[in-house]
Amino acid sequence: MSAITVSGLTKDYGEVLANDDVSFSVAEGEVFGYLGPNGAGKTTTIRTLMGFQSPTAGTATLLGADVRDEAALIEAKQRIGYLPANPGFDAQSTGRQILDLHASIKGDSRRDDLLEIFDPPLDRKVREYSTGNKQKLGLVQAFMHDPDLVIMDEPTSGLDPLMQQRFNEFVRAEKERGTTVFLSSHVLGEVRQICDRVGIIREGRMVTVETVADLLGRSGKSVLVRVAGEVDAESIALDGIHDLTVRPLERVASEAVVGDGGGEVATATELTFTFTGDVNDLVDLVDGYDLLELDVEEAPLEDVFMRFYGDDDV
């Protein structure tokens, strides 16, 4: 069963078509990443899902409640946690007062456990909070009533690296508990570590929805090869090689190193490229050279993302 279903969702502000026929679904117990740069339409989707604005066309459901049905959505929100991109807490209140208010509305059965994990300074006023502390307070309020579904907009914004890692571990544990998590992000390492699937949105339209593993697999491998001698780029003819770079190197032949720092200078060549072909063909290729080094890795998720965004700033 789907915790979230989005069907042809469109939001037209007149001058800006923020969401254009967006469709996807999120399964119960799934961690789904909504990926795109600022201005791509992520927050518009989330605000529509939460019922803060009505869609121009199309619809969506959260835990079976139609977002256009105010009464049904209010009832469903008892089982939903929400963290906006910029939590608008009362600056004159303390963190404790903020949580007490939320607890009076929706409960706080997990409050103490969450405070041990995220540890915002409860007895200080929010006006004195750093961005990271506001985010930690927001995370506690989003999960403290033990929701079935949590929707978060850029949840690690302002968190230091150690707290980001703690957040990633927490989300993985929530998945084990069966919680459904929907989060928007442009932090690609975060998405790779915690998400089951991602949806990539560009200029208001969905580009793709697939597992992180499939996305990385389709992008190929990053390959670095160092060989002895000179290599001409035109001699590297193999299907599946993309973005080939050939760089001549100088190295000291170790067998010739003698005396007071002397040594014979030999030539070598470094080749870097993305490879989407048959790995056996790659092995046959490098077997024809005097191989010094071979490194084959998954392509970085950043490279995958750039395939959808070209030269856009992500």
Side-chain angles (χ1 to χ4, degrees):
M1 180 179 291
S2 295
I4 301 175
T5 302
V6 178
S7 303
L9 196 67
T10 299
K11 184 62 180 179
D12 189 348
Y13 292 109
E15 295 182 357
V16 177
L17 185 59
N19 281 167
D20 184 6
D21 195 29
V22 172
S23 297
F24 62 88
S25 63
V26 179
E28 290 184 353
E30 180 178 27
V31 180
F32 187 95
Y34 201 36
L35 196 59
N38 294 333
K42 304 188 302 295
T43 296
T44 295
T45 304
I46 289 174
R47 288 183 57 80
T48 305
L49 289 177
M50 293 302 298
F52 301 147
Q53 59 188 15
S54 299
T56 305
T59 190
T61 62
L62 298 184
L63 302 179
D66 193 315
V67 298
R68 300 169 300 179
D69 184 336
E70 184 177 1
L73 188 57
I74 289 174
E75 183 176 354
K77 282 184 177 180
Q78 298 176 24
R79 302 161 53 204
I80 298 172
Y82 172 58
L83 177 65
N86 298 294
F89 299 129
D90 179 7
Q92 300 304 314
S93 298
T94 65
R96 191 179 306 278
Q97 290 171 327
I98 295 292
L99 295 185
D100 287 346
L101 174 62
H102 281 267
S104 70
I105 298 170
K106 61 188 181 184
D108 64 347
S109 60
R110 300 186 61 196
R111 176 170 169 170
D112 291 343
D113 291 341
L114 290 160
L115 287 173
E116 287 187 11
I117 297 171
F118 296 112
D119 193 29
L122 291 184
D123 294 316
R124 288 166 52 188
K125 291 188 176 182
V126 170
R127 71 185 182 197
E128 300 172 1
Y129 273 28
S130 65
T131 301
N133 280 331
K134 288 180 184 177
Q135 207 70 5
K136 290 190 286 186
L137 185 68
L139 287 166
V140 173
Q141 70 79 27
F143 285 89
M144 70 181 190
H145 59 299
D146 199 18
D148 297 321
L149 167 66
V150 180
I151 296 174
M152 297 181 283
D153 196 354
E154 303 284 354
T156 61
S157 175
L159 298 183
D160 62 47
L162 290 177
M163 189 55 65
Q164 288 182 22
Q165 184 59 38
R166 188 173 298 179
F167 169 81
N168 292 345
E169 293 170 356
F170 171 73
V171 171
R172 286 193 289 266
E174 285 301 293
K175 174 181 166 58
E176 293 299 316
R177 297 180 73 248
T179 307
T180 305
V181 177
F182 176 93
L183 61 92
S184 76
S185 181
H186 62 264
V187 182
L188 304 177
E190 167 185 284
V191 168
R192 179 173 183 173
Q193 289 187 51
I194 65 176
C195 292
D196 301 303
R197 291 190 303 145
V198 296
I200 296 179
I201 185 169
R202 173 174 181 158
E203 297 178 348
R205 294 188 65 86
M206 293 298 291
V207 178
T208 187
V209 177
E210 52 192 297
T211 67
V212 174
D214 286 346
L215 197 62
L216 289 169
R218 187 158 56 86
S219 69
K221 305 291 185 182
S222 292
V223 180
L224 180 147
V225 181
R226 290 193 178 103
V227 299
E230 297 181 357
V231 177
D232 186 346
E234 294 181 358
S235 68
I236 307 299
L238 180 63
D239 290 341
I241 287 183
H242 310 279
D243 305 322
L244 173 65
T245 299
V246 177
R247 185 166 70 97
L249 304 173
E250 285 189 352
R251 66 187 181 94
V252 176
S254 58
E255 65 275 10
V257 177
V258 293
D260 53 354
E264 178 183 344
V265 176
T267 59
T269 305
E270 178 183 273
L271 303 95
T272 57
F273 52 89
T274 300
F275 186 65
T276 58
D278 188 330
V279 68
N280 294 298
D281 294 337
L282 179 61
V283 171
D284 290 341
L285 173 70
V286 299
D287 188 49
Y289 295 93
D290 182 0
L291 185 64
L292 303 174
E293 182 178 351
L294 174 62
D295 186 13
V296 181
E297 299 179 343
E298 276 188 344
L301 193 55
E302 286 82 356
D303 290 354
V304 179
F305 196 49
M306 288 302 295
R307 293 187 179 219
F308 294 104
Y309 278 88
D311 294 328
D312 290 356
D313 182 10
V314 299

